[in-house]
Coordinates of all heavy atoms in Angstrom, one line a residue:
E1 N 0.8 -1.2 0.0 CA -0.1 0.0 0.0 C 0.8 1.2 0.0 O 0.6 2.3 -0.6 CB -1.0 0.0 1.2 CG -2.0 -1.2 1.1 CD -2.9 -1.0 2.3 OE1 -2.8 -0.1 3.2 OE2 -3.8 -1.8 2.4
F2 N 2.0 1.2 0.7 CA 2.9 2.3 0.8 C 3.6 2.6 -0.5 O 3.5 3.8 -1.0 CB 4.0 2.1 1.8 CG 5.2 3.1 1.8 CD1 5.0 4.3 2.4 CD2 6.4 2.8 1.1 CE1 5.9 5.2 2.4 CE2 7.4 3.8 1.1 CZ 7.1 5.0 1.7
L3 N 3.8 1.4 -1.3 CA 4.4 1.6 -2.6 C 3.4 2.2 -3.6 O 3.7 3.1 -4.4 CB 4.9 0.3 -3.1 CG 6.2 -0.1 -2.5 CD1 6.5 -1.6 -3.1 CD2 7.4 0.7 -2.7
M4 N 2.1 1.8 -3.4 CA 1.1 2.3 -4.3 C 0.8 3.7 -4.0 O 0.6 4.5 -4.9 CB -0.1 1.5 -4.1 CG 0.0 0.0 -4.7 SD -1.5 -1.0 -4.5 CE -2.7 0.0 -5.4
G5 N 0.8 4.0 -2.7 CA 0.6 5.5 -2.3 C 1.7 6.4 -2.8 O 1.3 7.5 -3.3
S6 N 2.9 5.8 -2.7 CA 4.1 6.7 -3.1 C 4.0 6.8 -4.7 O 4.2 8.0 -5.2 CB 5.4 6.0 -2.8 OG 5.5 5.9 -1.3
G7 N 3.7 5.8 -5.3 CA 3.6 5.8 -6.9 C 2.5 6.8 -7.3 O 2.7 7.6 -8.2
K8 N 1.3 6.9 -6.5 CA 0.3 7.8 -6.8 C 0.7 9.2 -6.7 O 0.4 10.1 -7.6 CB -1.0 7.4 -6.0 CG -2.2 8.4 -6.4 CD -3.4 8.0 -5.4 CE -4.6 8.9 -5.8 NZ -5.7 8.7 -4.9
R9 N 1.3 9.4 -5.6 CA 1.8 10.9 -5.2 C 2.8 11.4 -6.3 O 2.8 12.4 -6.6 CB 2.4 10.9 -3.9 CG 1.5 10.9 -2.7 CD 2.0 11.3 -1.4 NE 2.9 10.3 -0.9 CZ 2.6 9.1 -0.2 NH1 1.3 9.0 0.1 NH2 3.5 8.3 0.1
F10 N 3.8 10.4 -6.7 CA 4.8 10.7 -7.8 C 4.1 11.1 -9.1 O 4.5 12.0 -9.7 CB 5.7 9.5 -7.9 CG 6.8 9.9 -9.0 CD1 7.8 10.6 -8.8 CD2 6.7 9.3 -10.3 CE1 8.7 10.9 -9.8 CE2 7.5 9.6 -11.3 CZ 8.5 10.4 -11.0
F11 N 3.1 10.3 -9.4 CA 2.3 10.5 -10.7 C 1.5 11.9 -10.7 O 1.6 12.6 -11.6 CB 1.3 9.4 -10.8 CG 0.5 9.5 -12.2 CD1 1.0 9.4 -13.3 CD2 -0.9 10.0 -12.1 CE1 0.3 9.5 -14.5 CE2 -1.6 10.2 -13.2 CZ -1.0 10.0 -14.5
E12 N 1.0 12.2 -9.4 CA 0.3 13.5 -9.3 C 1.3 14.6 -9.4 O 1.1 15.6 -10.1 CB -0.5 13.5 -8.0 CG -1.6 12.6 -8.0 CD -2.3 12.6 -6.5 OE1 -1.6 13.1 -5.5 OE2 -3.3 12.0 -6.4
F13 N 2.5 14.4 -8.8 CA 3.6 15.5 -8.9 C 4.0 15.6 -10.2 O 4.2 16.8 -10.7 CB 4.8 15.1 -8.0 CG 5.8 16.0 -8.1 CD1 5.9 17.3 -7.4 CD2 7.0 15.6 -8.8 CE1 7.0 18.2 -7.6 CE2 8.0 16.5 -9.0 CZ 8.1 17.7 -8.4
A14 N 4.2 14.5 -10.9 CA 4.7 14.5 -12.3 C 3.7 15.3 -13.3 O 4.1 16.0 -14.1 CB 5.1 13.2 -12.8
T15 N 2.4 14.9 -13.0 CA 1.3 15.5 -13.8 C 1.3 17.1 -13.6 O 1.2 17.8 -14.5 CB 0.0 14.9 -13.5 OG1 0.1 13.5 -13.6 CG2 -1.1 15.6 -14.2
K16 N 1.4 17.5 -12.4 CA 1.4 18.9 -12.0 C 2.6 19.6 -12.7 O 2.5 20.7 -13.2 CB 1.5 19.1 -10.6 CG 0.2 18.6 -9.8 CD -1.0 19.6 -10.0 CE -2.1 19.2 -9.0 NZ -3.3 20.0 -9.4
L17 N 3.8 18.9 -12.6 CA 4.9 19.5 -13.2 C 4.8 19.6 -14.7 O 5.3 20.7 -15.3 CB 6.2 18.6 -12.8 CG 7.5 19.2 -13.2 CD1 7.8 20.4 -12.5 CD2 8.6 18.2 -12.9
A18 N 4.3 18.7 -15.3 CA 4.0 18.7 -16.9 C 3.1 19.7 -17.2 O 3.2 20.6 -18.2 CB 3.6 17.3 -17.3
E19 N 2.0 20.0 -16.3 CA 1.1 21.0 -16.6 C 1.6 22.5 -16.5 O 1.5 23.3 -17.3 CB -0.2 20.9 -15.6 CG -1.0 19.7 -15.8 CD -2.1 19.6 -14.8 OE1 -2.0 20.2 -13.7 OE2 -3.0 18.9 -15.1
L20 N 2.5 22.6 -15.5 CA 3.2 23.9 -15.3 C 4.2 24.2 -16.4 O 4.3 25.3 -16.8 CB 4.0 23.8 -13.9 CG 3.1 23.9 -12.7 CD1 4.0 23.8 -11.4 CD2 2.3 25.1 -12.6
M21 N 4.8 23.2 -16.9 CA 5.8 23.4 -18.0 C 5.0 23.7 -19.2 O 5.5 24.6 -19.9 CB 6.6 22.0 -18.2 CG 7.6 21.8 -17.1 SD 8.5 20.1 -17.4 CE 9.4 20.5 -18.8
W22 N 3.9 23.2 -19.5 CA 3.1 23.4 -20.6 C 2.5 24.9 -20.7 O 2.5 25.6 -21.6 CB 2.0 22.5 -20.9 CG 1.2 22.6 -22.1 CD1 -0.1 22.7 -22.2 CD2 1.6 22.8 -23.5 NE1 -0.5 22.9 -23.4 CE2 0.5 23.1 -24.4 CE3 2.9 22.8 -24.1 CZ2 0.5 23.2 -25.6 CZ3 3.1 23.1 -25.5 CH2 1.9 23.2 -26.2
V23 N 2.0 25.2 -19.5 CA 1.6 26.6 -19.2 C 2.7 27.6 -19.5 O 2.5 28.7 -20.1 CB 0.9 26.7 -17.8 CG1 0.7 28.3 -17.6 CG2 -0.2 26.0 -17.7
N24 N 3.9 27.2 -19.0 CA 5.0 28.2 -19.1 C 5.3 28.3 -20.7 O 5.5 29.4 -21.2 CB 6.2 27.6 -18.5 CG 7.3 28.5 -18.2 OD1 7.2 29.3 -17.2 ND2 8.3 28.6 -19.0
V25 N 5.3 27.2 -21.4 CA 5.6 27.3 -22.9 C 4.5 28.1 -23.6 O 4.8 28.9 -24.4 CB 5.7 25.8 -23.5 CG1 5.7 26.0 -25.0 CG2 6.8 25.1 -23.0
L26 N 3.3 28.0 -23.3 CA 2.1 28.7 -23.8 C 2.3 30.2 -23.6 O 2.2 31.1 -24.5 CB 0.9 28.3 -23.4 CG 0.4 26.9 -23.9 CD1 -0.9 26.5 -23.0 CD2 0.2 26.8 -25.3
T27 N 2.7 30.5 -22.3 CA 2.8 31.9 -22.0 C 4.1 32.6 -22.6 O 3.9 33.7 -23.1 CB 3.2 32.0 -20.4 OG1 2.0 31.4 -19.7 CG2 3.1 33.5 -20.0
I28 N 5.1 31.9 -22.8 CA 6.3 32.4 -23.5 C 5.9 32.6 -25.0 O 6.2 33.7 -25.5 CB 7.6 31.5 -23.4 CG1 8.1 31.7 -22.0 CG2 8.6 31.9 -24.3 CD1 9.1 30.7 -21.5
L29 N 5.3 31.6 -25.6 CA 5.1 31.7 -27.0 C 4.1 32.9 -27.3 O 4.3 33.7 -28.2 CB 4.4 30.4 -27.4 CG 5.2 29.3 -27.7 CD1 4.5 28.0 -28.0 CD2 6.4 29.5 -28.7
C30 N 3.0 33.1 -26.5 CA 2.0 34.1 -26.6 C 2.6 35.5 -26.2 O 2.0 36.5 -26.4 CB 0.9 33.8 -25.8 SG -0.1 32.5 -26.4
S31 N 3.8 35.6 -25.6 CA 4.4 36.8 -25.1 C 5.5 37.3 -26.2 O 5.9 38.4 -26.0 CB 5.1 36.7 -23.9 OG 4.1 36.4 -22.8
I32 N 5.7 36.5 -27.2 CA 6.8 36.8 -28.1 C 6.6 38.2 -28.9 O 7.5 38.9 -29.1 CB 7.0 35.6 -29.0 CG1 7.7 34.6 -28.4 CG2 7.9 36.2 -30.3 CD1 7.9 33.2 -29.3
P33 N 5.3 38.5 -29.3 CA 5.2 39.8 -29.9 C 5.3 40.9 -28.9 O 5.1 42.1 -29.4 CB 3.6 39.7 -30.4 CG 3.4 38.2 -30.5 CD 4.1 37.6 -29.4
V34 N 5.5 40.7 -27.6 CA 5.8 41.6 -26.6 C 4.4 42.5 -26.3 O 3.9 42.4 -25.1 CB 6.9 42.8 -26.9 CG1 7.0 43.7 -25.8 CG2 8.1 42.0 -27.2
I35 N 3.8 42.9 -27.3 CA 2.5 43.7 -27.0 C 1.5 42.8 -26.4 O 0.5 43.2 -25.8 CB 2.0 44.4 -28.2 CG1 0.9 45.4 -27.9 CG2 1.5 43.3 -29.2 CD1 0.6 46.3 -29.1
T36 N 1.5 41.5 -26.6 CA 0.6 40.5 -26.1 C 0.9 39.9 -24.7 O 0.2 39.0 -24.3 CB 0.4 39.2 -27.1 OG1 1.6 38.7 -27.3 CG2 -0.1 39.9 -28.5
A37 N 2.0 40.3 -24.2 CA 2.5 39.8 -23.0 C 1.5 39.9 -21.8 O 1.4 39.0 -21.0 CB 3.8 40.3 -22.6
G38 N 0.8 40.9 -21.7 CA -0.1 41.1 -20.6 C -1.3 40.2 -20.7 O -1.7 39.6 -19.7
C39 N -1.7 39.9 -22.1 CA -2.9 39.0 -22.1 C -2.3 37.6 -21.9 O -3.0 36.7 -21.3 CB -3.5 39.0 -23.5 SG -4.9 38.0 -23.7
A40 N -1.1 37.3 -22.2 CA -0.4 36.0 -22.0 C -0.3 35.8 -20.4 O -0.6 34.7 -19.9 CB 0.9 35.8 -22.6
I41 N 0.0 36.7 -19.7 CA 0.0 36.5 -18.2 C -1.2 36.4 -17.6 O -1.4 35.7 -16.7 CB 0.8 37.9 -17.6 CG1 2.3 37.9 -18.1 CG2 0.8 37.9 -16.1 CD1 3.0 39.3 -17.8
T42 N -2.1 37.2 -18.1 CA -3.7 37.1 -17.7 C -4.1 35.6 -17.8 O -4.6 34.9 -16.8 CB -4.5 38.1 -18.3 OG1 -4.1 39.4 -18.1 CG2 -6.0 37.9 -17.9
S43 N -3.9 35.1 -19.0 CA -4.3 33.7 -19.3 C -3.6 32.7 -18.4 O -4.2 31.6 -18.0 CB -4.1 33.4 -20.8 OG -4.7 34.4 -21.6
M44 N -2.3 33.0 -18.2 CA -1.4 32.2 -17.3 C -2.1 32.0 -16.0 O -2.3 30.9 -15.5 CB -0.2 32.6 -17.3 CG 0.8 31.7 -16.4 SD 2.4 32.4 -16.0 CE 2.2 33.8 -15.0
H45 N -2.4 33.1 -15.4 CA -3.1 33.2 -14.0 C -4.4 32.4 -14.0 O -4.8 31.8 -13.0 CB -3.1 34.6 -13.5 CG -1.8 35.1 -13.0 ND1 -1.3 34.6 -11.7 CD2 -0.8 35.9 -13.5 CE1 -0.1 35.2 -11.5 NE2 0.1 36.0 -12.6
H46 N -5.2 32.6 -15.0 CA -6.4 31.9 -15.2 C -6.3 30.4 -15.1 O -7.0 29.8 -14.3 CB -7.1 32.3 -16.5 CG -8.5 31.7 -16.7 ND1 -9.6 32.0 -15.9 CD2 -8.8 30.8 -17.5 CE1 -10.6 31.3 -16.4 NE2 -10.2 30.6 -17.4
V47 N -5.3 29.9 -15.8 CA -5.1 28.5 -15.8 C -4.5 28.0 -14.5 O -4.8 26.9 -13.9 CB -4.2 28.1 -17.0 CG1 -4.0 26.6 -16.9 CG2 -4.9 28.4 -18.3

């Protein structure tokens, strides 16, 4: 049970980390024109 619990926690952590990385990529891509950076930051906080 301990191993299963640890595996579940690791999977949840890895999922959150992947989500954060993808949000980071989206925010950077949408900020490239510079003028759109404010909207990119707004969308980032929404997610």
Side-chain angles (χ1 to χ4, degrees):
E1 290 182 3
F2 173 77
L3 291 175
M4 290 178 65
S6 299
K8 182 180 179 182
R9 285 192 293 271
F10 176 78
F11 178 76
E12 290 174 349
F13 172 78
T15 300
K16 294 285 187 185
L17 188 63
E19 290 175 343
L20 290 176
M21 291 174 68
W22 181 232
V23 172
N24 201 80
V25 169
L26 290 173
T27 304
I28 290 174
L29 290 176
C30 291
S31 298
I32 288 175
V34 179
I35 196 174
T36 60
C39 191
I41 294 169
T42 301
S43 304
M44 178 186 75
H45 279 286
H46 179 68
V47 175

